[in-house]
Amino acid sequence: MTNSSGYDSTGIHSEHASEGVVARRVVAYLIDAFILSLAVPVGLMISFLSLGLLSGLVGLVLAIIPFLYHSLLIATPRGATLGQRLLGLRVSNLRNGGNVDFFQALLQVVLFYATLGFTGGLLLLWCLFDDKGRCLHEIFSGTVTTHDFA
């Protein structure tokens, strides 16, 4: 019997927990990107209404929002962003299948965005060759994304 992160009572990762996860992750990220994009018109309006005086601050806030969105939601007991929840995914601590703490989630998110920024997302293809469908940012942060069996 597996728990909500696909781990059985001995802490061994279930083979079925990562099946079909890669495609779901792509769609989940697109949903999350759409949600995050809703902040841009609000930021532009604030910048416009302040006659540009708050443009620097708005730019900084818009740059920080994706990191906070992903980190704070992944570090909850549900272990998923809104897009991941909609697609039945969960991010767990690889060592014990438990919840990811904020700093582990933040590390995962920073590494994810670094992968996007420095390699144009090319290194995200690593998950196609990993037996658990894990990307490098998950391997280095000690996390795993699986089906949410709860």
Side-chain angles (χ1 to χ4, degrees), residues 16 32-33 43 59 76 79-80 84 89 92 99 110 131-132 150:
H16 303 292
D32 290 330
T76 64
Q84 290 169 333
L89 300 174
S92 304
N99 295 336
V110 167
D131 63 338
K132 292 182 177 86

Side-chain angles (χ1 to χ4, degrees), residues 117-129:
F118 295 127
T119 70
L122 190 61
L123 285 180
L124 293 175
L125 296 176
W126 178 272
C127 67
L128 298 175
F129 305 102

Side-chain angles (χ1 to χ4, degrees), residues 25-147:
R25 290 172 63 174
V26 171
V27 175
Y29 180 74
L30 293 174
I31 292 169
D32 290 330
F34 173 76
I35 291 168
L36 289 168
S37 74
L38 298 176
V40 173
V42 173
L44 290 174
M45 185 61 71
I46 291 170
S47 184
F48 176 76
L49 292 175
S50 71
L51 303 175
L53 295 175
L54 296 177
S55 294
L57 180 61
V58 166
L60 179 64
V61 169
L62 288 175
I64 292 172
I65 286 175
F67 292 95
L68 290 177
Y69 171 85
H70 285 91
S71 299
L72 291 172
L73 290 176
I74 289 171
T76 64
R78 293 285 309 264
T81 64
L82 298 176
Q84 290 169 333
R85 286 182 195 174
L86 285 171
L87 292 168
L89 300 174
R90 183 177 194 283
V91 179
S92 304
N93 186 317
L94 183 64
R95 282 173 282 156
N96 60 17
N99 295 336
V100 176
D101 66 33
F102 175 76
F103 294 105
Q104 190 177 18
L106 182 61
L107 175 62
Q108 181 200 26
V109 173
V110 167
L111 292 172
F112 169 74
Y113 281 111
T115 300
L116 281 180
F118 295 127
T119 70
L122 190 61
L123 285 180
L124 293 175
L125 296 176
W126 178 272
C127 67
L128 298 175
F129 305 102
D130 186 83
D131 63 338
K132 292 182 177 86
R134 296 172 65 212
C135 293
L136 290 175
H137 60 275
E138 291 180 299
I139 292 169
F140 291 122
S141 64
T143 62
V144 62
T145 301
T146 60
H147 290 283

